[in-house]
């Protein structure tokens, strides 16, 4: 009976080494790897695919990842790091996503889509519903000059 227990523990150790590459993980242990790194000079940014290994956690927050990546790439302002599109692998323990690191905050505001700026807290969400904004736009199309500015 003891031989069976030792075989199971050996199997577990082998599996951890095979899948995770290490024997044990602590709760804080998160490994971040970058792939497909491109320095995009036209958009003044660095872009890459991020692989995150988090075997003991369901997921890692984007703020933690942004600070970790900021340390890896010597980023001066953490607000210039944008993370999105993360998918957790089936079974957990690993996630993949996309990362953009802009040279300055001005370039980030210039090239990032509005919804990502709103998520990051760099822009405000437009007020009113989608239908109200559309109706106002169509009313403005029918007017000319000073009448357009009176509408709003």
């Amino acid at each position: 009976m003891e031989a069976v227990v030792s075989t199971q523990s050996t199997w577990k150790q082998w599996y951890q080494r095979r899948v995770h590459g290490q024997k044990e993980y602590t709760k804080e242990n998160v490994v971040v790897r970058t792939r497909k790194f491109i320095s995009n000079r036209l958009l003044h940014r660095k872009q890459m695919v991020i692989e995150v290994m988090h075997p003991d956690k369901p997921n890692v927050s984007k703020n933690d990842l942004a600070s970790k990546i900021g340390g890896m790439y010597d980023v001066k302002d953490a607000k210039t790091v944008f993370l999105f599109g993360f998918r957790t692998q089936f079974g957990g323990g690993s996630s993949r996503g996309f990362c953009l690191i802009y040279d300055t905050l001005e370039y980030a505001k210039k090239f990032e889509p509005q919804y990502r700026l709103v998520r990051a807290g760099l822009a405000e969400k437009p007020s009113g519903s989608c239908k109200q904004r559309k109706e106002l736009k169509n009313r403005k199309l029918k007017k000319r000059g000073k009448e357009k500015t009176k509408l709003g």
Side-chain angles (χ1 to χ4, degrees):
M1 187 118 185
E2 289 178 11
V4 173
V5 173
S6 64
T7 308
Q8 287 177 345
S9 64
T10 309
W11 170 255
K12 185 177 178 185
Q13 291 170 353
W14 174 85
Y15 180 74
Q16 284 180 336
R17 281 193 307 267
R18 175 84 170 98
V19 173
H20 302 300
Q22 294 181 2
K23 288 185 181 179
E24 291 180 9
Y25 278 93
T26 60
K27 291 283 182 189
E28 293 81 30
N29 195 4
V30 174
V31 179
V32 178
R33 288 191 197 135
T34 59
R35 295 179 47 226
K36 299 184 181 178
F37 180 87
I38 296 171
S39 182
N40 191 335
R41 291 296 91 210
L42 288 174
L43 296 176
H44 302 280
R45 70 185 183 194
K46 300 173 192 129
Q47 54 194 50
M48 66 206 85
V49 173
I50 301 291
E51 286 184 352
V52 185
M53 304 292 276
H54 47 89
D56 297 333
K57 293 184 176 184
N59 235 328
V60 185
S61 74
K62 289 183 185 176
N63 292 334
D64 295 344
L65 284 176
S67 63
K68 197 161 193 172
I69 289 166
M72 288 168 61
Y73 287 95
D74 300 326
V75 176
K76 294 172 188 163
D77 190 5
K79 289 185 177 181
T80 60
V81 178
F82 290 86
L83 299 163
F84 59 94
F86 276 85
R87 295 277 173 221
T88 306
Q89 262 189 339
F90 181 74
S94 171
S95 300
R96 280 191 189 151
F98 207 71
C99 174
L100 304 174
I101 304 172
Y102 285 91
D103 295 345
T104 62
L105 204 55
E106 288 77 35
Y107 288 127
K109 287 181 179 178
K110 183 178 179 183
F111 294 120
E112 271 298 288
Q114 189 70 21
Y115 75 95
R116 271 195 232 137
L117 291 174
V118 169
R119 270 186 204 168
L122 298 173
E124 285 190 28
K125 191 173 182 180
S127 62
S129 68
C130 205
K131 187 172 182 176
Q132 285 175 334
R133 287 192 307 250
K134 246 184 216 180
E135 287 173 353
L136 179 65
K137 176 198 65 124
N138 289 331
R139 272 189 262 127
K140 281 183 180 180
L141 286 174
K142 293 173 186 172
K143 303 290 181 182
R144 292 179 56 91
K146 290 180 182 176
E147 293 175 347
K148 236 185 217 191
T149 55
K150 285 181 185 175
L151 285 174

